[in-house]
Amino acid sequence: MSLLFTGCGNNAAKSNESKEKKITVLVESGSPAEKIANSTAAAFKEETGYEVVVDSVPYSGMYDKVSTEIKAKAAAHDVVCLDVLWLSAFENALTPLDEHVDSSITSDFLPTLEDGGTLNGQLLGLPMWINSKVLIYRKDIFADESNKSAFNKKYGYELKVPATWDEYKDCAEFFTKDDMYGTSVFGMAGGDTVCSFLDHVSQAGAMPLVLDDKNNVLVDEQPYIDALQYLCDIYQAGYAPEETLAVASTESQEMFNNGKLAMQLNWSHQYPAAYALNEENVGVAPMIGGTEGVAATTGPWYECVMKNSENQEIAIEYLKFMYDNNEKYMTEGALKIAGRTSVYEKYTSEPGNEHLGAVMDTLDNKFSQNRPATPYWTEIEEVLAGAIQSSLSGKATPESALKDAKKAIEGIVE
């Protein structure tokens, strides 16, 4: 009887121990995060004894999944991978990391990453990767001697990879010929279009973006008007495809790869794919600059610990483990972007990875910044996308479209 009782007790203890030796990680399905979480799981288990259970869901379902478990006040996941745009909405449900992370970690963050992951003075995640727009262009047509001569004759200066709004617009005009457009403008209703617009708003000197720290709406100020007018000028002059209102990152990349665009301002992860198709003729450079210089809005992702997780200590260890393995986002991830300066510096000299240097140069500017940390961003983004489309289509001037957008956003945030 005593032996039987003892045996049952040991089995129960083993069952509890087995249950505790497991953490669950939420990732976007099909993303580099899913691949890297799976490829590192065995090493983490060997190091800590904890099994890593990877739960993958499509991007469109991640926000709702996290929201549901927050409302239930029971964390189904110990670690969640989050788009920076969601941090504000989930702020109170995430474990602050400041007591567990010091400068030995944050000193290797790429520019804007610490600000993006910090809300109300608390660091809520460790970066997985960061992305920004860069200039991707056809090296061969810029190097063509007849193009150089014709450009100089028309514009009075040497043809070169553009670095300013004026240079970019001149190149867009010049290369709109021979069944090719000079560039693309993102006009599809969605996040790519809004982010592209805010790139130019930043270049025109806006900081912060869209909302100030008191939730005052800023979108009718001059940098916003100037940026939207610039995009309208390029599109309405015919330097970008007629189907611009249906163009975002993927569509622009396809047109560039098919020889229909001379240049594009697109997310940096699009460069390696374009390079692989035409490595002799595809180049990359930092984002262009407006009146206040080069700038871009960023697209980082963070790994965070759910505050209701029963595995706080090991979940934080997992974040550090993944940060130590951030290099795998370059060696195994399809996007070829990461979250550490040292990783970018290590790989930027390799052929096909030149976009890394362009991102670092782009981010290393005063006006490169994150989109606003607000739980209302989804609704705000819809309003701004509508204003951009209205202006591009000629239904409203940039000034009037943004004035209406301000009123709509004020109704959202009040």
Side-chain angles (χ1 to χ4, degrees):
M1 181 74 172
S2 175
L3 290 173
L4 182 60
F5 178 80
T6 302
C8 289
N10 285 340
N11 286 338
K14 289 178 180 178
S15 176
N16 288 337
E17 182 179 340
S18 175
K19 181 179 180 182
E20 292 171 358
K21 291 285 188 178
K22 181 184 295 186
I23 63 168
T24 303
V25 180
L26 178 67
V27 300
E28 179 191 0
S29 59
S31 72
E34 181 181 18
K35 183 173 184 178
I36 306 308
N38 282 312
S39 73
T40 56
F44 186 75
K45 184 174 183 179
E46 182 177 352
E47 185 175 309
T48 65
Y50 278 79
E51 177 186 358
V52 178
V53 178
V54 180
D55 181 19
S56 60
V57 270
Y59 181 88
S60 58
M62 290 190 71
Y63 185 94
D64 289 342
K65 196 173 186 73
V66 176
S67 295
T68 298
E69 63 185 83
I70 290 173
K71 292 174 183 176
K73 297 182 180 180
H77 302 91
D78 302 294
V79 173
V80 291
C81 300
L82 299 178
D83 189 325
V84 66
L85 299 176
W86 303 332
L87 292 185
S88 180
F90 300 147
E91 177 183 0
N92 294 329
L94 303 176
T95 299
L97 302 175
D98 304 87
E99 294 182 2
H100 312 281
V101 172
D102 58 26
S103 60
S104 65
I105 291 178
T106 59
S107 62
D108 203 27
F109 283 9
L110 283 153
T112 77
L113 278 175
E114 189 165 6
D115 286 342
T118 301
L119 294 179
N120 293 313
Q122 295 181 316
L123 181 66
L124 298 178
L126 293 186
M128 302 158 63
W129 64 75
I130 189 170
N131 208 351
S132 79
K133 306 287 195 340
V134 293
L135 168 57
I136 303 172
Y137 65 96
R138 285 276 302 276
K139 290 194 299 185
D140 54 330
I141 62 175
F142 274 87
D144 182 85
E145 291 300 328
S146 61
N147 282 337
K148 288 181 178 181
S149 176
F151 186 92
N152 184 273
K153 183 177 181 179
K154 182 172 184 177
Y155 298 101
Y157 65 95
E158 298 296 322
L159 175 62
K160 61 178 181 177
V161 178
T164 69
W165 282 15
D166 288 342
E167 291 171 357
Y168 193 80
K169 188 177 178 182
D170 285 348
C171 287
E173 178 185 32
F174 179 75
F175 286 118
T176 300
K177 59 183 179 179
D178 303 328
D179 199 31
M180 176 184 282
Y181 288 98
T183 188
S184 62
V185 170
F186 292 2
M188 181 186 293
D192 274 345
T193 290
V194 174
C195 197
S196 177
F197 164 60
L198 293 178
D199 288 338
H200 297 298
V201 172
S202 299
Q203 294 157 13
M207 183 181 278
L209 291 173
V210 182
L211 302 172
D212 67 14
D213 58 0
K214 295 181 180 178
N215 265 6
N216 294 311
V217 182
L218 310 174
V219 300
D220 62 339
E221 294 183 353
Q222 198 62 45
Y224 298 83
I225 297 170
D226 292 346
L228 189 48
Q229 186 64 61
Y230 179 72
L231 294 173
C232 288
D233 288 347
I234 289 174
Y235 171 56
Q236 292 167 0
Y239 310 151
E242 292 180 9
E243 61 267 34
T244 282
L245 294 182
V247 171
S249 175
T250 300
E251 293 74 21
S252 178
Q253 175 77 346
E254 183 177 353
M255 288 188 286
F256 182 83
N257 288 343
N258 289 332
K260 299 297 183 181
L261 300 179
M263 312 176 291
Q264 58 170 338
L265 299 172
N266 209 336
W267 293 107
S268 72
H269 72 264
Q270 300 285 15
Y271 170 75
Y275 176 87
L277 292 173
N278 192 4
E279 62 183 53
E280 294 295 324
N281 295 323
V282 175
V284 65
M287 200 12 149
I288 62 173
T291 55
E292 296 301 324
V294 172
T297 50
T298 59
W301 278 65
Y302 295 84
E303 282 193 306
C304 309
V305 175
M306 295 295 288
K307 192 177 288 185
N308 283 336
S309 166
E310 296 179 355
N311 299 308
Q312 291 289 307
E313 184 175 345
I314 196 65
I316 291 169
E317 285 304 309
Y318 180 78
L319 261 60
K320 293 180 179 180
F321 171 84
M322 292 301 289
Y323 186 74
D324 287 342
N325 283 275
N326 190 256
E327 184 175 351
K328 290 186 178 293
Y329 287 106
M330 279 301 305
T331 59
E332 299 178 18
L335 299 183
K336 299 293 182 181
I337 50 178
R340 299 184 62 166
T341 301
S342 58
V343 174
Y344 268 53
E345 290 175 343
K346 178 177 180 179
Y347 287 94
T348 189
S349 61
E350 293 186 359
N353 289 335
E354 294 87 356
H355 63 297
L356 301 179
V359 170
M360 287 192 291
D361 288 344
T362 298
L363 296 182
D364 191 24
N365 286 279
K366 176 182 177 181
F367 287 93
S368 287
Q369 58 192 302
N370 294 286
R371 285 158 284 181
T374 171
Y376 306 111
W377 182 248
T378 300
E379 297 93 331
I380 291 171
E381 191 173 68
E382 290 178 0
V383 172
L384 289 175
I388 295 165
Q389 286 201 317
S390 180
S391 296
L392 289 172
S393 64
K395 294 178 180 178
T397 65
E399 187 170 4
S400 64
L402 292 169
K403 184 177 180 180
D404 290 344
K406 178 178 181 176
K407 292 178 182 177
I409 295 170
E410 286 174 339
I412 292 169
V413 300
E414 284 178 354

PDB file of all heavy atoms in Angstrom, residues 12-46:
ATOM      1  N   ALA A  12       2.613  11.676 -10.250  1.00  0.00           N
ATOM      2  CA  ALA A  12       1.996  13.002 -10.236  1.00  0.00           C
ATOM      3  C   ALA A  12       3.049  14.092 -10.340  1.00  0.00           C
ATOM      4  O   ALA A  12       2.900  15.076 -11.057  1.00  0.00           O
ATOM      5  CB  ALA A  12       1.172  13.187  -8.966  1.00  0.00           C
ATOM      6  N   ALA A  13       4.146  13.888  -9.594  1.00  0.00           N
ATOM      7  CA  ALA A  13       5.226  14.871  -9.626  1.00  0.00           C
ATOM      8  C   ALA A  13       5.824  14.958 -11.024  1.00  0.00           C
ATOM      9  O   ALA A  13       6.104  16.041 -11.541  1.00  0.00           O
ATOM     10  CB  ALA A  13       6.308  14.505  -8.615  1.00  0.00           C
ATOM     11  N   LYS A  14       6.005  13.774 -11.656  1.00  0.00           N
ATOM     12  CA  LYS A  14       6.558  13.774 -13.007  1.00  0.00           C
ATOM     13  C   LYS A  14       5.610  14.452 -13.985  1.00  0.00           C
ATOM     14  O   LYS A  14       6.021  15.162 -14.896  1.00  0.00           O
ATOM     15  CB  LYS A  14       6.840  12.337 -13.454  1.00  0.00           C
ATOM     16  CG  LYS A  14       8.016  11.693 -12.727  1.00  0.00           C
ATOM     17  CD  LYS A  14       8.212  10.261 -13.179  1.00  0.00           C
ATOM     18  CE  LYS A  14       9.381   9.604 -12.449  1.00  0.00           C
ATOM     19  NZ  LYS A  14       9.553   8.196 -12.842  1.00  0.00           N
ATOM     20  N   SER A  15       4.310  14.234 -13.778  1.00  0.00           N
ATOM     21  CA  SER A  15       3.318  14.865 -14.641  1.00  0.00           C
ATOM     22  C   SER A  15       3.374  16.378 -14.514  1.00  0.00           C
ATOM     23  O   SER A  15       3.352  17.114 -15.507  1.00  0.00           O
ATOM     24  CB  SER A  15       1.913  14.367 -14.287  1.00  0.00           C
ATOM     25  OG  SER A  15       0.952  15.042 -15.056  1.00  0.00           O
ATOM     26  N   ASN A  16       3.471  16.874 -13.264  1.00  0.00           N
ATOM     27  CA  ASN A  16       3.546  18.313 -13.041  1.00  0.00           C
ATOM     28  C   ASN A  16       4.821  18.894 -13.646  1.00  0.00           C
ATOM     29  O   ASN A  16       4.836  19.948 -14.247  1.00  0.00           O
ATOM     30  CB  ASN A  16       3.489  18.630 -11.536  1.00  0.00           C
ATOM     31  CG  ASN A  16       2.096  18.395 -10.978  1.00  0.00           C
ATOM     32  OD1 ASN A  16       1.115  18.422 -11.706  1.00  0.00           O
ATOM     33  ND2 ASN A  16       2.026  18.151  -9.673  1.00  0.00           N
ATOM     34  N   GLU A  17       5.918  18.123 -13.429  1.00  0.00           N
ATOM     35  CA  GLU A  17       7.195  18.585 -13.948  1.00  0.00           C
ATOM     36  C   GLU A  17       7.152  18.662 -15.470  1.00  0.00           C
ATOM     37  O   GLU A  17       7.630  19.612 -16.084  1.00  0.00           O
ATOM     38  CB  GLU A  17       8.302  17.631 -13.504  1.00  0.00           C
ATOM     39  CG  GLU A  17       9.693  18.057 -13.964  1.00  0.00           C
ATOM     40  CD  GLU A  17      10.777  17.114 -13.494  1.00  0.00           C
ATOM     41  OE1 GLU A  17      10.546  16.371 -12.537  1.00  0.00           O
ATOM     42  OE2 GLU A  17      11.858  17.139 -14.110  1.00  0.00           O
ATOM     43  N   SER A  18       6.516  17.626 -16.086  1.00  0.00           N
ATOM     44  CA  SER A  18       6.403  17.610 -17.535  1.00  0.00           C
ATOM     45  C   SER A  18       5.580  18.791 -18.029  1.00  0.00           C
ATOM     46  O   SER A  18       5.892  19.420 -19.023  1.00  0.00           O
ATOM     47  CB  SER A  18       5.772  16.291 -17.993  1.00  0.00           C
ATOM     48  OG  SER A  18       5.551  16.298 -19.378  1.00  0.00           O
ATOM     49  N   LYS A  19       4.516  19.092 -17.293  1.00  0.00           N
ATOM     50  CA  LYS A  19       3.656  20.200 -17.670  1.00  0.00           C
ATOM     51  C   LYS A  19       4.405  21.529 -17.590  1.00  0.00           C
ATOM     52  O   LYS A  19       4.249  22.400 -18.438  1.00  0.00           O
ATOM     53  CB  LYS A  19       2.424  20.233 -16.767  1.00  0.00           C
ATOM     54  CG  LYS A  19       1.436  21.342 -17.100  1.00  0.00           C
ATOM     55  CD  LYS A  19       0.233  21.297 -16.193  1.00  0.00           C
ATOM     56  CE  LYS A  19      -0.748  22.412 -16.525  1.00  0.00           C
ATOM     57  NZ  LYS A  19      -1.917  22.400 -15.616  1.00  0.00           N
ATOM     58  N   GLU A  20       5.232  21.665 -16.574  1.00  0.00           N
ATOM     59  CA  GLU A  20       5.958  22.917 -16.375  1.00  0.00           C
ATOM     60  C   GLU A  20       7.078  23.105 -17.391  1.00  0.00           C
ATOM     61  O   GLU A  20       7.442  24.227 -17.707  1.00  0.00           O
ATOM     62  CB  GLU A  20       6.527  22.962 -14.958  1.00  0.00           C
ATOM     63  CG  GLU A  20       5.456  23.063 -13.877  1.00  0.00           C
ATOM     64  CD  GLU A  20       6.030  22.887 -12.491  1.00  0.00           C
ATOM     65  OE1 GLU A  20       7.248  22.641 -12.384  1.00  0.00           O
ATOM     66  OE2 GLU A  20       5.271  22.983 -11.522  1.00  0.00           O
ATOM     67  N   LYS A  21       7.619  22.046 -17.921  1.00  0.00           N
ATOM     68  CA  LYS A  21       8.761  22.127 -18.819  1.00  0.00           C
ATOM     69  C   LYS A  21       8.323  22.374 -20.262  1.00  0.00           C
ATOM     70  O   LYS A  21       8.721  21.667 -21.188  1.00  0.00           O
ATOM     71  CB  LYS A  21       9.580  20.830 -18.733  1.00  0.00           C
ATOM     72  CG  LYS A  21      10.298  20.624 -17.417  1.00  0.00           C
ATOM     73  CD  LYS A  21      11.523  21.541 -17.328  1.00  0.00           C
ATOM     74  CE  LYS A  21      12.374  21.226 -16.102  1.00  0.00           C
ATOM     75  NZ  LYS A  21      13.588  22.066 -16.038  1.00  0.00           N
ATOM     76  N   LYS A  22       7.504  23.375 -20.438  1.00  0.00           N
ATOM     77  CA  LYS A  22       6.972  23.660 -21.763  1.00  0.00           C
ATOM     78  C   LYS A  22       6.559  25.132 -21.817  1.00  0.00           C
ATOM     79  O   LYS A  22       5.944  25.641 -20.892  1.00  0.00           O
ATOM     80  CB  LYS A  22       5.765  22.764 -22.027  1.00  0.00           C
ATOM     81  CG  LYS A  22       5.121  22.930 -23.390  1.00  0.00           C
ATOM     82  CD  LYS A  22       3.869  22.063 -23.513  1.00  0.00           C
ATOM     83  CE  LYS A  22       4.218  20.588 -23.460  1.00  0.00           C
ATOM     84  NZ  LYS A  22       3.027  19.741 -23.713  1.00  0.00           N
ATOM     85  N   ILE A  23       6.934  25.806 -22.883  1.00  0.00           N
ATOM     86  CA  ILE A  23       6.428  27.153 -23.115  1.00  0.00           C
ATOM     87  C   ILE A  23       5.828  27.218 -24.520  1.00  0.00           C
ATOM     88  O   ILE A  23       6.256  26.497 -25.426  1.00  0.00           O
ATOM     89  CB  ILE A  23       7.506  28.238 -22.940  1.00  0.00           C
ATOM     90  CG1 ILE A  23       8.637  28.076 -23.955  1.00  0.00           C
ATOM     91  CG2 ILE A  23       8.035  28.267 -21.529  1.00  0.00           C
ATOM     92  CD1 ILE A  23       9.554  29.289 -24.002  1.00  0.00           C
ATOM     93  N   THR A  24       4.828  28.083 -24.670  1.00  0.00           N
ATOM     94  CA  THR A  24       4.121  28.209 -25.941  1.00  0.00           C
ATOM     95  C   THR A  24       4.384  29.587 -26.528  1.00  0.00           C
ATOM     96  O   THR A  24       4.286  30.601 -25.832  1.00  0.00           O
ATOM     97  CB  THR A  24       2.608  28.004 -25.744  1.00  0.00           C
ATOM     98  OG1 THR A  24       2.386  26.723 -25.151  1.00  0.00           O
ATOM     99  CG2 THR A  24       1.885  28.063 -27.077  1.00  0.00           C
ATOM    100  N   VAL A  25       4.720  29.608 -27.809  1.00  0.00           N
ATOM    101  CA  VAL A  25       5.101  30.842 -28.507  1.00  0.00           C
ATOM    102  C   VAL A  25       4.158  31.069 -29.681  1.00  0.00           C
ATOM    103  O   VAL A  25       3.959  30.176 -30.513  1.00  0.00           O
ATOM    104  CB  VAL A  25       6.554  30.759 -29.011  1.00  0.00           C
ATOM    105  CG1 VAL A  25       6.950  32.045 -29.734  1.00  0.00           C
ATOM    106  CG2 VAL A  25       7.513  30.459 -27.866  1.00  0.00           C
ATOM    107  N   LEU A  26       3.575  32.260 -29.758  1.00  0.00           N
ATOM    108  CA  LEU A  26       2.687  32.625 -30.855  1.00  0.00           C
ATOM    109  C   LEU A  26       3.473  33.370 -31.922  1.00  0.00           C
ATOM    110  O   LEU A  26       4.122  34.376 -31.645  1.00  0.00           O
ATOM    111  CB  LEU A  26       1.544  33.498 -30.346  1.00  0.00           C
ATOM    112  CG  LEU A  26       0.550  33.991 -31.410  1.00  0.00           C
ATOM    113  CD1 LEU A  26      -0.243  32.832 -31.992  1.00  0.00           C
ATOM    114  CD2 LEU A  26      -0.396  35.047 -30.821  1.00  0.00           C
ATOM    115  N   VAL A  27       3.386  32.886 -33.169  1.00  0.00           N
ATOM    116  CA  VAL A  27       4.084  33.509 -34.296  1.00  0.00           C
ATOM    117  C   VAL A  27       3.129  33.654 -35.475  1.00  0.00           C
ATOM    118  O   VAL A  27       2.080  32.998 -35.531  1.00  0.00           O
ATOM    119  CB  VAL A  27       5.309  32.674 -34.736  1.00  0.00           C
ATOM    120  CG1 VAL A  27       6.309  32.531 -33.607  1.00  0.00           C
ATOM    121  CG2 VAL A  27       4.870  31.300 -35.251  1.00  0.00           C
ATOM    122  N   GLU A  28       3.515  34.489 -36.414  1.00  0.00           N
ATOM    123  CA  GLU A  28       2.753  34.613 -37.655  1.00  0.00           C
ATOM    124  C   GLU A  28       3.090  33.446 -38.564  1.00  0.00           C
ATOM    125  O   GLU A  28       4.270  33.166 -38.822  1.00  0.00           O
ATOM    126  CB  GLU A  28       3.086  35.928 -38.362  1.00  0.00           C
ATOM    127  CG  GLU A  28       2.334  36.107 -39.681  1.00  0.00           C
ATOM    128  CD  GLU A  28       2.865  37.264 -40.501  1.00  0.00           C
ATOM    129  OE1 GLU A  28       3.819  37.942 -40.056  1.00  0.00           O
ATOM    130  OE2 GLU A  28       2.322  37.484 -41.609  1.00  0.00           O
ATOM    131  N   SER A  29       2.074  32.756 -39.060  1.00  0.00           N
ATOM    132  CA  SER A  29       2.321  31.605 -39.922  1.00  0.00           C
ATOM    133  C   SER A  29       2.957  32.038 -41.240  1.00  0.00           C
ATOM    134  O   SER A  29       2.608  33.071 -41.818  1.00  0.00           O
ATOM    135  CB  SER A  29       1.013  30.855 -40.199  1.00  0.00           C
ATOM    136  OG  SER A  29       0.068  31.692 -40.815  1.00  0.00           O
ATOM    137  N   GLY A  30       3.932  31.260 -41.679  1.00  0.00           N
ATOM    138  CA  GLY A  30       4.627  31.547 -42.926  1.00  0.00           C
ATOM    139  C   GLY A  30       5.690  32.620 -42.830  1.00  0.00           C
ATOM    140  O   GLY A  30       6.354  32.937 -43.820  1.00  0.00           O
ATOM    141  N   SER A  31       5.880  33.181 -41.640  1.00  0.00           N
ATOM    142  CA  SER A  31       6.847  34.267 -41.459  1.00  0.00           C
ATOM    143  C   SER A  31       8.197  33.704 -41.048  1.00  0.00           C
ATOM    144  O   SER A  31       8.310  32.546 -40.632  1.00  0.00           O
ATOM    145  CB  SER A  31       6.356  35.230 -40.374  1.00  0.00           C
ATOM    146  OG  SER A  31       6.466  34.611 -39.095  1.00  0.00           O
ATOM    147  N   PRO A  32       9.255  34.529 -41.130  1.00  0.00           N
ATOM    148  CA  PRO A  32      10.544  34.091 -40.602  1.00  0.00           C
ATOM    149  C   PRO A  32      10.463  33.700 -39.130  1.00  0.00           C
ATOM    150  O   PRO A  32      11.192  32.817 -38.687  1.00  0.00           O
ATOM    151  CB  PRO A  32      11.438  35.320 -40.798  1.00  0.00           C
ATOM    152  CG  PRO A  32      10.820  36.068 -41.912  1.00  0.00           C
ATOM    153  CD  PRO A  32       9.340  35.847 -41.773  1.00  0.00           C
ATOM    154  N   ALA A  33       9.571  34.340 -38.377  1.00  0.00           N
ATOM    155  CA  ALA A  33       9.440  34.020 -36.952  1.00  0.00           C
ATOM    156  C   ALA A  33       9.053  32.567 -36.747  1.00  0.00           C
ATOM    157  O   ALA A  33       9.574  31.893 -35.837  1.00  0.00           O
ATOM    158  CB  ALA A  33       8.395  34.930 -36.308  1.00  0.00           C
ATOM    159  N   GLU A  34       8.163  32.060 -37.581  1.00  0.00           N
ATOM    160  CA  GLU A  34       7.763  30.655 -37.456  1.00  0.00           C
ATOM    161  C   GLU A  34       8.942  29.727 -37.745  1.00  0.00           C
ATOM    162  O   GLU A  34       9.197  28.780 -37.005  1.00  0.00           O
ATOM    163  CB  GLU A  34       6.612  30.353 -38.407  1.00  0.00           C
ATOM    164  CG  GLU A  34       6.132  28.904 -38.320  1.00  0.00           C
ATOM    165  CD  GLU A  34       5.000  28.585 -39.273  1.00  0.00           C
ATOM    166  OE1 GLU A  34       4.789  29.344 -40.247  1.00  0.00           O
ATOM    167  OE2 GLU A  34       4.319  27.561 -39.049  1.00  0.00           O
ATOM    168  N   LYS A  35       9.654  30.030 -38.816  1.00  0.00           N
ATOM    169  CA  LYS A  35      10.775  29.177 -39.200  1.00  0.00           C
ATOM    170  C   LYS A  35      11.867  29.173 -38.136  1.00  0.00           C
ATOM    171  O   LYS A  35      12.382  28.106 -37.752  1.00  0.00           O
ATOM    172  CB  LYS A  35      11.354  29.645 -40.540  1.00  0.00           C
ATOM    173  CG  LYS A  35      12.481  28.763 -41.043  1.00  0.00           C
ATOM    174  CD  LYS A  35      12.908  29.152 -42.450  1.00  0.00           C
ATOM    175  CE  LYS A  35      13.966  28.192 -42.977  1.00  0.00           C
ATOM    176  NZ  LYS A  35      14.372  28.537 -44.375  1.00  0.00           N
ATOM    177  N   ILE A  36      12.208  30.335 -37.616  1.00  0.00           N
ATOM    178  CA  ILE A  36      13.300  30.431 -36.650  1.00  0.00           C
ATOM    179  C   ILE A  36      12.881  29.843 -35.303  1.00  0.00           C
ATOM    180  O   ILE A  36      13.682  29.213 -34.613  1.00  0.00           O
ATOM    181  CB  ILE A  36      13.772  31.889 -36.486  1.00  0.00           C
ATOM    182  CG1 ILE A  36      14.126  32.502 -37.842  1.00  0.00           C
ATOM    183  CG2 ILE A  36      14.958  31.964 -35.536  1.00  0.00           C
ATOM    184  CD1 ILE A  36      15.081  31.699 -38.681  1.00  0.00           C
ATOM    185  N   ALA A  37      11.623  30.042 -34.913  1.00  0.00           N
ATOM    186  CA  ALA A  37      11.151  29.450 -33.657  1.00  0.00           C
ATOM    187  C   ALA A  37      11.263  27.936 -33.708  1.00  0.00           C
ATOM    188  O   ALA A  37      11.673  27.291 -32.726  1.00  0.00           O
ATOM    189  CB  ALA A  37       9.712  29.877 -33.385  1.00  0.00           C
ATOM    190  N   ASN A  38      10.938  27.354 -34.836  1.00  0.00           N
ATOM    191  CA  ASN A  38      11.026  25.897 -34.979  1.00  0.00           C
ATOM    192  C   ASN A  38      12.472  25.422 -35.070  1.00  0.00           C
ATOM    193  O   ASN A  38      12.839  24.400 -34.479  1.00  0.00           O
ATOM    194  CB  ASN A  38      10.243  25.442 -36.215  1.00  0.00           C
ATOM    195  CG  ASN A  38       8.744  25.402 -35.967  1.00  0.00           C
ATOM    196  OD1 ASN A  38       8.280  24.867 -34.965  1.00  0.00           O
ATOM    197  ND2 ASN A  38       7.961  25.961 -36.879  1.00  0.00           N
ATOM    198  N   SER A  39      13.306  26.167 -35.784  1.00  0.00           N
ATOM    199  CA  SER A  39      14.685  25.713 -35.981  1.00  0.00           C
ATOM    200  C   SER A  39      15.531  25.838 -34.717  1.00  0.00           C
ATOM    201  O   SER A  39      16.553  25.160 -34.575  1.00  0.00           O
ATOM    202  CB  SER A  39      15.342  26.485 -37.130  1.00  0.00           C
ATOM    203  OG  SER A  39      15.637  27.821 -36.753  1.00  0.00           O
ATOM    204  N   THR A  40      15.125  26.701 -33.778  1.00  0.00           N
ATOM    205  CA  THR A  40      15.893  26.888 -32.542  1.00  0.00           C
ATOM    206  C   THR A  40      15.305  26.132 -31.349  1.00  0.00           C
ATOM    207  O   THR A  40      15.897  26.132 -30.274  1.00  0.00           O
ATOM    208  CB  THR A  40      15.951  28.389 -32.173  1.00  0.00           C
ATOM    209  OG1 THR A  40      14.619  28.908 -32.079  1.00  0.00           O
ATOM    210  CG2 THR A  40      16.737  29.182 -33.214  1.00  0.00           C
ATOM    211  N   ALA A  41      14.151  25.508 -31.535  1.00  0.00           N
ATOM    212  CA  ALA A  41      13.447  24.881 -30.410  1.00  0.00           C
ATOM    213  C   ALA A  41      14.277  23.787 -29.748  1.00  0.00           C
ATOM    214  O   ALA A  41      14.336  23.692 -28.513  1.00  0.00           O
ATOM    215  CB  ALA A  41      12.103  24.326 -30.878  1.00  0.00           C
ATOM    216  N   ALA A  42      14.936  22.959 -30.541  1.00  0.00           N
ATOM    217  CA  ALA A  42      15.720  21.856 -29.978  1.00  0.00           C
ATOM    218  C   ALA A  42      16.886  22.386 -29.151  1.00  0.00           C
ATOM    219  O   ALA A  42      17.188  21.861 -28.069  1.00  0.00           O
ATOM    220  CB  ALA A  42      16.226  20.950 -31.092  1.00  0.00           C
ATOM    221  N   ALA A  43      17.548  23.432 -29.629  1.00  0.00           N
ATOM    222  CA  ALA A  43      18.678  24.012 -28.899  1.00  0.00           C
ATOM    223  C   ALA A  43      18.218  24.624 -27.583  1.00  0.00           C
ATOM    224  O   ALA A  43      18.905  24.508 -26.556  1.00  0.00           O
ATOM    225  CB  ALA A  43      19.373  25.064 -29.758  1.00  0.00           C
ATOM    226  N   PHE A  44      17.049  25.271 -27.588  1.00  0.00           N
ATOM    227  CA  PHE A  44      16.535  25.848 -26.350  1.00  0.00           C
ATOM    228  C   PHE A  44      16.188  24.752 -25.341  1.00  0.00           C
ATOM    229  O   PHE A  44      16.472  24.892 -24.141  1.00  0.00           O
ATOM    230  CB  PHE A  44      15.302  26.704 -26.627  1.00  0.00           C
ATOM    231  CG  PHE A  44      14.797  27.441 -25.421  1.00  0.00           C
ATOM    232  CD1 PHE A  44      15.464  28.561 -24.951  1.00  0.00           C
ATOM    233  CD2 PHE A  44      13.665  27.020 -24.744  1.00  0.00           C
ATOM    234  CE1 PHE A  44      15.021  29.242 -23.827  1.00  0.00           C
ATOM    235  CE2 PHE A  44      13.194  27.694 -23.627  1.00  0.00           C
ATOM    236  CZ  PHE A  44      13.880  28.815 -23.160  1.00  0.00           C
ATOM    237  N   LYS A  45      15.621  23.672 -25.821  1.00  0.00           N
ATOM    238  CA  LYS A  45      15.293  22.567 -24.921  1.00  0.00           C
ATOM    239  C   LYS A  45      16.561  21.942 -24.339  1.00  0.00           C
ATOM    240  O   LYS A  45      16.629  21.616 -23.151  1.00  0.00           O
ATOM    241  CB  LYS A  45      14.476  21.506 -25.650  1.00  0.00           C
ATOM    242  CG  LYS A  45      14.011  20.372 -24.735  1.00  0.00           C
ATOM    243  CD  LYS A  45      13.089  19.405 -25.451  1.00  0.00           C
ATOM    244  CE  LYS A  45      12.595  18.326 -24.493  1.00  0.00           C
ATOM    245  NZ  LYS A  45      11.674  17.367 -25.156  1.00  0.00           N
ATOM    246  N   GLU A  46      17.570  21.790 -25.172  1.00  0.00           N
ATOM    247  CA  GLU A  46      18.835  21.233 -24.686  1.00  0.00           C
ATOM    248  C   GLU A  46      19.463  22.146 -23.638  1.00  0.00           C
ATOM    249  O   GLU A  46      20.045  21.677 -22.655  1.00  0.00           O
ATOM    250  CB  GLU A  46      19.793  21.042 -25.864  1.00  0.00           C
ATOM    251  CG  GLU A  46      21.129  20.413 -25.472  1.00  0.00           C
ATOM    252  CD  GLU A  46      22.039  20.177 -26.661  1.00  0.00           C
ATOM    253  OE1 GLU A  46      21.583  20.357 -27.814  1.00  0.00           O
ATOM    254  OE2 GLU A  46      23.207  19.814 -26.439  1.00  0.00           O
TER     255      GLU A  46
END
